[in-house]
Amino acid sequence: MQLSIKLFIISWLSGLICISCTLPPTHFPQATPAPVIKPGAKTQISSISPSATIPDNSNLAPPNQALKPLSSRSAAINAQLPPSLRSLRDIPAVPGGIAWISLPISSPIPPRIWYQQKPVLVLRDGQQWVALVGIPLQVQPGVYYVIDSQHNNYAFTVYNKQYQVQYVKINKRNFVNPNPEELQRIQYESKLIATALATPWRATTYSPLPLKQPIQGKLSSSFGLRRYFNGQPRKPHSGLDIAAPLGTPVLAPSPGQVVNIGNYFFTGKTVLIDHGQGIVTLYGHLNQIKVIEGQTIEIEQIIGTVGKTGRATGPHLHWGVSLNQAMINPQLVMQ
Ligand SMILES: [Zn+2]
């Protein structure tokens, strides 16, 4: 038995946990298979087995990648890699993580790069460029590719990661098993949120990352927890829970535009902000929402207050960070 499976967190932490994502895992989207390499494209596959499991605190070096030079194409604006993101280079790509892909091109204009048909964040790194690719939680370990506008492929390896297991006892039955009407509502709302996460890619003159922590408080549930509610498996936790008193102001972690607000079954009063370059953040269980859809917001602007709306057992912020439509661990990009 895996060590992490033994790490039971028997938790009925009133006030510290969100009961979001209580659909059974059969509702997971299927992993998208790796694209086929085009003839002539140069790639190099890491000698490290992708089935190797990356523990939570691993510092295993990332695989080397032999990359084909990109042909230049005018795309956007010269956003520089902030020094604080440089540590991502040394963190292996895992489900829910970020792949660092160096692009040996010295063109003054950024290349356009796609992963699973979605454009990804590209930043200036010295004389060259780097693509930072969000890896969906449901992706299986293996070799994957990004592609540029000239159909050149660049390989990277996704390693296995065993997130901790959390067993939670819930007393409210419909928190665990929504009824058919609630399931319909959940499906409808999932589409609204998915649409907001798929907001069209927008160039920025700055790097939207790193993100400032939107509130201070105890990290009450980490990203990726594999959850069992009353013994029944549920989707892994797709965000970071930060506990704070009711009414605590929630601050925008980076400039952006509000792309969706709503009062949803799971996440209650919710705000989604597009920060550009495929980065969208989500704020759930708010008590009050202080912004409107379409509003342009500055960094550290108050967007709402901490609450316990939706399926939450107490006041906390559920913070989701999506990179190229993949929910990633917010702690990877927190300032
Ligand atoms: Zn949460």
Side-chain angles (χ1 to χ4, degrees), residues 292-303:
I292 58 170
E293 224 165 86
Q295 186 175 344
T296 299
I297 51 167
E298 303 299 324
I299 188 168
E300 298 192 303
Q301 182 171 336
I302 296 175
I303 56 172

Side-chain angles (χ1 to χ4, degrees), residues 17-20 221 227 237 239-241 285 316-319:
I17 193 169
C18 74
I19 313 300
S20 303
S221 273
R227 292 175 145 178
H237 190 221
L240 179 67
D241 288 354
H285 309 307
H316 73 275
L317 175 69
H318 172 90
W319 186 28

Side-chain angles (χ1 to χ4, degrees), residues 88 140 203 243 257 260 275:
L88 291 173
Q140 297 299 313
Q257 189 168 25
N260 179 268
H275 301 283

Side-chain angles (χ1 to χ4, degrees), residues 203-216:
T204 58
T205 55
Y206 53 85
S207 170
L209 301 177
L211 302 173
K212 291 204 163 190
Q213 195 170 322
I215 59 168
Q216 296 305 313

Side-chain angles (χ1 to χ4, degrees), residues 56 69 105 132 149 161 171 190 217 229 245 317:
D56 272 1
I105 176 172
L132 298 180
S149 53
K161 174 159 178 162
N171 292 324
S190 309
F229 292 152
L317 175 69

